[in-house]
Amino acid sequence: MINDILIYLWEVSVCLALSTVFFKVFFEKLSFFYWNRILLLGLLVLAALIPLLSFEMWPSEAGLTEIFLPEFLVGGQIEQEFTVSSPDFSWFEILFFAYAIGVFITIIRVIWGLRNLLIRIKTSTLKVFEGHQLLIHPSFEPASFFNYIMLSSFDSTDLDNQLILLHESVHCRQKHTWDLILVQLLKILLWFNPFIFIYERLVKEVHEFEADHFVTRFHSELTYSKLLLRLVTKNNTND
């Protein structure tokens, strides 16, 4: 059982690595952001499912039949057999134990981060503006969480706030939070694989490109670029 789990994790890791390289080589530079998102999610699901499929390429050969002959004693003595005891834990068991510890630590980190987020959400102010549910808290960076848009402050007459609201509303409407939850689940299982972190970055980039593309359909690219520059400068100053 343990061997099967480790083999599955290895095969998923290989599939994920191939999927990451495939996307970066052929699709990362394309501007079909919605379809890039669908492709990324599809490749992620396939990477998890393909190792579960088994194909029998060749018919199995008939196994050899064991024949036990009767035992004859010569001289009335039986040679004593000595057996060498095997170690209590195999290398596979040790490896699986180390993997399980990593999974446990990753789960704790995810739960802790979610706990901190929920605490801030609970202490934030809820506002409704043009059908959008806004959570206002001084510590928030512009972000979305399911159908909620999290902001540090909001002024409906401010153009920057309007652009940020439009950007984050795309994340809510396209259900991007569910994509990130799927990636987080795979991160728990594949915490040891650096490609899952690369894959997470690719998914987030596609989300941002998709939202940016929608905003620039209704507002000047120059105006929006200046907003992004101000936000980056502000974040670097805070750091």
Side-chain angles (χ1 to χ4, degrees), residues 223-239:
T223 301
Y224 188 60
S225 298
K226 290 181 178 179
L227 168 62
L228 296 179
L229 181 60
R230 287 194 295 273
L231 291 176
V232 171
T233 304
K234 178 182 178 182
N235 292 336
N236 291 338
T237 303
N238 292 336
D239 294 341

Side-chain angles (χ1 to χ4, degrees), residues 127 129 134 136 151-165:
K127 293 183 179 181
F129 176 75
L134 312 181
I136 312 299
L151 301 169
S152 58
S153 61
F154 180 70
D155 180 3
S156 60
T157 63
D158 183 75
L159 179 59
D160 285 357
N161 283 184
Q162 294 174 10
L163 293 175
I164 292 172
L165 178 62

Side-chain angles (χ1 to χ4, degrees), residues 124-138:
S124 63
T125 302
L126 176 63
K127 293 183 179 181
V128 178
F129 176 75
E130 295 183 351
H132 303 296
Q133 300 184 74
L134 312 181
L135 294 173
I136 312 299
H137 193 282

Side-chain angles (χ1 to χ4, degrees), residues 176-189:
H176 288 168
T177 302
W178 290 107
D179 299 0
L180 300 179
I181 289 177
L182 176 61
V183 174
Q184 287 298 321
L185 292 176
L186 266 296
K187 279 179 67 178
I188 291 174
L189 295 178

Side-chain angles (χ1 to χ4, degrees), residues 36-93:
N36 281 357
R37 174 198 173 197
I38 299 300
L39 177 61
L40 279 171
L41 296 178
L43 290 174
L44 195 62
V45 173
L46 285 177
L49 293 182
I50 287 178
L52 296 176
L53 304 177
S54 60
F55 300 94
E56 188 174 351
M57 301 300 296
W58 306 102
S60 58
E61 297 181 359
L64 298 177
T65 304
E66 294 185 357
I67 302 176
F68 296 92
L69 298 176
E71 181 180 5
F72 296 94
L73 301 182
V74 180
Q77 296 181 354
I78 302 178
E79 295 184 358
Q80 186 177 1
E81 296 183 357
F82 295 92
T83 59
V84 180
S85 59
S86 59
D88 295 335
F89 297 99
S90 66
W91 284 108
F92 280 106
E93 292 172 329

Side-chain angles (χ1 to χ4, degrees), residues 25-26 33 45 73 84 116 124 140 167 171 199 212 223 228:
V25 171
F26 295 104
F33 306 122
V45 173
L73 301 182
V84 180
N116 293 337
S124 63
F140 280 155
H167 176 98
H171 292 309
Y199 213 90
D212 291 342
T223 301
L228 296 179

